[in-house]
Coordinates of all heavy atoms in Angstrom, one line a residue:
A180 N -3.9 -19.1 -5.4 CA -3.6 -19.4 -6.8 C -2.2 -18.9 -7.2 O -1.7 -18.1 -6.5 CB -4.7 -18.7 -7.7
P181 N -1.7 -19.4 -8.2 CA -0.4 -18.9 -8.7 C -0.5 -17.4 -9.0 O -1.5 -16.9 -9.4 CB -0.1 -19.7 -10.0 CG -0.9 -20.9 -9.9 CD -2.1 -20.5 -9.1
A182 N 0.7 -16.7 -8.8 CA 0.7 -15.3 -9.0 C 0.5 -15.0 -10.6 O 0.9 -15.9 -11.4 CB 2.0 -14.7 -8.6
P183 N -0.1 -14.0 -11.0 CA -0.2 -13.7 -12.4 C 1.1 -13.7 -13.1 O 2.1 -13.2 -12.5 CB -0.9 -12.3 -12.5 CG -1.6 -12.2 -11.1 CD -0.7 -12.9 -10.2
R184 N 1.2 -14.2 -14.3 CA 2.5 -14.3 -15.0 C 2.7 -13.1 -16.0 O 3.7 -12.7 -16.3 CB 2.7 -15.6 -15.7 CG 2.7 -16.8 -14.8 CD 2.9 -18.1 -15.6 NE 1.7 -18.4 -16.4 CZ 0.6 -18.9 -16.0 NH1 0.5 -19.3 -14.7 NH2 -0.4 -19.1 -16.8
L185 N 1.5 -12.6 -16.5 CA 1.5 -11.6 -17.5 C 1.8 -10.2 -17.0 O 1.3 -9.9 -15.9 CB 0.2 -11.6 -18.3 CG -0.1 -12.8 -19.1 CD1 -1.5 -12.6 -19.7 CD2 0.9 -13.1 -20.2
G186 N 2.7 -9.5 -17.6 CA 3.0 -8.1 -17.2 C 1.9 -7.2 -17.5 O 0.9 -7.5 -18.2
F187 N 2.0 -6.0 -17.0 CA 0.9 -5.0 -17.2 C 0.6 -4.7 -18.7 O -0.6 -4.6 -19.0 CB 1.4 -3.7 -16.5 CG 0.3 -2.6 -16.6 CD1 -0.6 -2.5 -15.6 CD2 0.3 -1.7 -17.6 CE1 -1.6 -1.5 -15.6 CE2 -0.7 -0.7 -17.6 CZ -1.6 -0.6 -16.6
H188 N 1.6 -4.7 -19.5 CA 1.4 -4.3 -20.9 C 1.3 -5.6 -21.8 O 1.2 -5.4 -23.1 CB 2.5 -3.4 -21.4 CG 2.5 -2.1 -20.7 ND1 1.5 -1.1 -20.9 CD2 3.4 -1.5 -19.8 CE1 1.8 -0.1 -20.2 NE2 2.9 -0.3 -19.5
D189 N 1.4 -6.8 -21.3 CA 1.4 -8.0 -22.1 C 0.1 -8.3 -22.7 O -1.0 -8.0 -22.1 CB 1.9 -9.2 -21.3 CG 3.3 -9.2 -20.9 OD1 4.1 -8.4 -21.5 OD2 3.7 -9.9 -19.9
P190 N 0.0 -8.9 -23.9 CA -1.3 -9.3 -24.5 C -1.9 -10.3 -23.6 O -1.2 -11.1 -23.0 CB -0.8 -9.9 -25.8 CG 0.5 -9.4 -26.1 CD 1.2 -9.1 -24.8
W191 N -3.2 -10.2 -23.5 CA -3.9 -11.1 -22.6 C -4.0 -12.5 -23.1 O -4.1 -12.8 -24.3 CB -5.4 -10.6 -22.4 CG -6.2 -11.6 -21.6 CD1 -7.2 -12.3 -21.9 CD2 -5.9 -11.9 -20.2 NE1 -7.7 -13.0 -20.8 CE2 -6.9 -12.8 -19.8 CE3 -5.0 -11.4 -19.2 CZ2 -7.0 -13.3 -18.4 CZ3 -5.0 -11.9 -17.9 CH2 -6.0 -12.8 -17.6
D192 N -3.8 -13.5 -22.1 CA -3.9 -14.9 -22.4 C -4.7 -15.5 -21.2 O -4.4 -15.4 -20.1 CB -2.5 -15.5 -22.4 CG -2.5 -17.0 -22.7 OD1 -3.6 -17.6 -22.6 OD2 -1.4 -17.6 -23.0
E193 N -5.8 -16.1 -21.6 CA -6.8 -16.6 -20.6 C -6.1 -17.6 -19.7 O -6.6 -17.8 -18.5 CB -8.0 -17.2 -21.3 CG -9.1 -17.6 -20.4 CD -9.8 -16.5 -19.6 OE1 -9.6 -15.3 -20.0 OE2 -10.6 -16.8 -18.7
A194 N -5.1 -18.3 -20.2 CA -4.4 -19.2 -19.4 C -3.8 -18.7 -18.1 O -3.6 -19.4 -17.1 CB -3.2 -19.9 -20.1
D195 N -3.6 -17.3 -18.1 CA -3.0 -16.7 -16.9 C -3.9 -16.8 -15.7 O -3.5 -16.8 -14.6 CB -2.7 -15.3 -17.2 CG -1.6 -14.7 -16.2 OD1 -0.8 -15.5 -15.7 OD2 -1.6 -13.4 -16.0
V196 N -5.2 -16.8 -15.9 CA -6.2 -16.9 -14.8 C -6.9 -18.2 -14.7 O -7.7 -18.4 -13.8 CB -7.3 -15.7 -15.1 CG1 -8.3 -16.2 -16.1 CG2 -8.0 -15.3 -13.8
S197 N -6.4 -19.2 -15.4 CA -7.1 -20.5 -15.5 C -7.1 -21.2 -14.1 O -8.1 -21.8 -13.7 CB -6.6 -21.4 -16.6 OG -5.2 -21.7 -16.3
E198 N -5.9 -21.2 -13.4 CA -5.8 -21.9 -12.1 C -6.7 -21.2 -11.1 O -7.4 -21.8 -10.3 CB -4.4 -22.0 -11.7 CG -4.2 -22.7 -10.4 CD -4.6 -24.2 -10.4 OE1 -4.7 -24.8 -11.5 OE2 -5.0 -24.8 -9.4
L199 N -6.7 -19.9 -11.1 CA -7.6 -19.2 -10.1 C -9.0 -19.5 -10.4 O -9.8 -19.7 -9.5 CB -7.3 -17.6 -10.3 CG -8.3 -16.8 -9.4 CD1 -8.0 -17.0 -7.9 CD2 -8.0 -15.3 -9.7
A200 N -9.4 -19.5 -11.7 CA -10.8 -19.8 -12.1 C -11.1 -21.2 -11.6 O -12.2 -21.4 -11.0 CB -11.0 -19.7 -13.6
H201 N -10.2 -22.2 -11.7 CA -10.5 -23.6 -11.2 C -10.7 -23.5 -9.7 O -11.6 -24.2 -9.2 CB -9.3 -24.5 -11.6 CG -9.4 -25.8 -10.9 ND1 -10.3 -26.8 -11.3 CD2 -8.6 -26.3 -9.9 CE1 -10.1 -27.8 -10.5 NE2 -9.1 -27.5 -9.6
L202 N -9.8 -22.8 -9.0 CA -10.0 -22.8 -7.5 C -11.2 -22.1 -7.1 O -11.9 -22.6 -6.1 CB -8.7 -22.1 -6.9 CG -7.4 -22.8 -7.1 CD1 -6.2 -21.9 -6.6 CD2 -7.4 -24.1 -6.2
I203 N -11.6 -21.1 -7.7 CA -12.9 -20.4 -7.4 C -14.1 -21.3 -7.6 O -15.0 -21.5 -6.7 CB -13.0 -19.1 -8.2 CG1 -12.0 -18.0 -7.7 CG2 -14.5 -18.6 -8.1 CD1 -12.0 -16.8 -8.6
S204 N -14.1 -22.0 -8.7 CA -15.2 -23.0 -9.0 C -15.2 -24.1 -8.0 O -16.3 -24.5 -7.5 CB -15.0 -23.5 -10.4 OG -16.0 -24.5 -10.7
A205 N -14.0 -24.6 -7.7 CA -13.9 -25.8 -6.8 C -14.3 -25.5 -5.3 O -14.8 -26.3 -4.6 CB -12.5 -26.4 -6.9
H206 N -14.0 -24.2 -4.9 CA -14.1 -23.9 -3.5 C -15.2 -22.8 -3.2 O -15.2 -22.2 -2.1 CB -12.8 -23.4 -3.0 CG -11.7 -24.5 -3.0 ND1 -11.6 -25.5 -2.0 CD2 -10.7 -24.7 -3.9 CE1 -10.5 -26.3 -2.3 NE2 -10.0 -25.8 -3.4
K207 N -16.0 -22.6 -4.2 CA -17.0 -21.4 -4.0 C -17.9 -21.6 -2.9 O -18.4 -20.7 -2.2 CB -17.7 -21.3 -5.3 CG -18.6 -22.5 -5.7 CD -19.3 -22.2 -7.1 CE -20.1 -23.5 -7.5 NZ -20.6 -23.2 -8.9
N208 N -18.3 -22.9 -2.5 CA -19.2 -23.1 -1.5 C -18.6 -23.0 -0.1 O -19.4 -22.9 0.9 CB -19.8 -24.5 -1.6 CG -20.7 -24.6 -2.8 OD1 -21.3 -23.6 -3.2 ND2 -20.7 -25.8 -3.4
E209 N -17.3 -22.9 0.0 CA -16.7 -22.7 1.4 C -15.9 -21.4 1.4 O -15.3 -21.1 2.4 CB -15.7 -23.8 1.6 CG -14.6 -24.0 0.6 CD -13.6 -25.1 0.9 OE1 -13.2 -25.2 2.0 OE2 -13.3 -25.8 -0.1
S210 N -16.0 -20.6 0.4 CA -15.2 -19.3 0.3 C -16.0 -18.1 0.3 O -17.1 -18.1 -0.3 CB -14.3 -19.3 -1.0 OG -13.4 -20.4 -0.9
A211 N -15.6 -17.1 1.0 CA -16.3 -15.9 1.2 C -16.0 -14.8 0.1 O -16.8 -14.1 -0.3 CB -16.1 -15.3 2.6
A212 N -14.7 -14.8 -0.2 CA -14.3 -13.7 -1.1 C -12.9 -14.0 -1.8 O -12.2 -14.9 -1.4 CB -14.1 -12.4 -0.3
V213 N -12.6 -13.2 -2.8 CA -11.3 -13.2 -3.4 C -10.7 -11.8 -3.0 O -11.4 -10.8 -3.2 CB -11.3 -13.3 -4.9 CG1 -9.9 -13.1 -5.5 CG2 -11.9 -14.7 -5.3
I214 N -9.5 -11.8 -2.6 CA -8.8 -10.5 -2.3 C -7.5 -10.4 -3.1 O -6.8 -11.4 -3.2 CB -8.5 -10.3 -0.8 CG1 -7.9 -8.9 -0.5 CG2 -7.6 -11.4 -0.2 CD1 -7.8 -8.6 1.0
L215 N -7.2 -9.3 -3.6 CA -6.0 -9.0 -4.3 C -5.6 -7.5 -4.3 O -6.5 -6.7 -4.1 CB -6.0 -9.6 -5.7 CG -7.1 -9.3 -6.7 CD1 -7.0 -7.9 -7.2 CD2 -7.1 -10.3 -7.9
E216 N -4.4 -7.3 -4.6 CA -4.0 -5.9 -4.8 C -4.1 -5.6 -6.3 O -3.3 -6.2 -7.1 CB -2.5 -5.7 -4.4 CG -2.2 -6.1 -2.9 CD -0.8 -6.5 -2.7 OE1 -0.5 -7.7 -3.0 OE2 0.0 -5.6 -2.3
P217 N -5.0 -4.8 -6.7 CA -5.2 -4.7 -8.2 C -4.0 -4.1 -8.9 O -3.4 -3.1 -8.5 CB -6.4 -3.7 -8.3 CG -6.4 -3.0 -7.0 CD -5.9 -4.0 -6.0
V218 N -3.5 -4.8 -10.0 CA -2.5 -4.4 -10.9 C -1.1 -4.3 -10.4 O -0.1 -4.7 -11.1 CB -2.9 -3.0 -11.5 CG1 -1.7 -2.4 -12.4 CG2 -4.1 -3.0 -12.3
V219 N -0.9 -4.0 -9.1 CA 0.5 -3.9 -8.5 C 0.5 -4.7 -7.2 O -0.3 -4.4 -6.3 CB 0.9 -2.5 -8.2 CG1 2.2 -2.5 -7.5 CG2 0.9 -1.7 -9.5
Q220 N 1.3 -5.7 -7.2 CA 1.6 -6.5 -5.9 C 2.7 -5.7 -5.2 O 3.8 -5.6 -5.8 CB 2.0 -7.9 -6.1 CG 0.8 -8.7 -6.6 CD 1.1 -10.2 -6.7 OE1 2.0 -10.6 -7.5 NE2 0.4 -11.0 -5.9
G221 N 2.5 -5.1 -4.1 CA 3.4 -4.2 -3.4 C 4.5 -4.9 -2.7 O 5.5 -5.5 -3.3
A222 N 4.4 -4.9 -1.4 CA 5.6 -5.4 -0.6 C 5.8 -6.9 -0.7 O 6.9 -7.4 -0.3 CB 5.3 -5.1 0.9
G223 N 4.9 -7.6 -1.4 CA 5.2 -9.0 -1.7 C 6.1 -9.3 -2.8 O 6.5 -10.4 -3.1

Side-chain angles (χ1 to χ4, degrees):
R184 295 180 297 276
L185 298 177
F187 184 86
H188 297 289
D189 290 342
W191 176 246
D192 184 344
E193 186 67 13
D195 203 26
V196 79
S197 61
E198 183 61 23
L199 175 65
H201 168 74
L202 291 172
I203 289 175
S204 177
H206 297 282
K207 62 185 178 183
N208 291 327
E209 59 179 315
S210 299
V213 175
I214 186 172
L215 51 75
E216 303 154 277
V218 173
V219 175
Q220 291 186 297

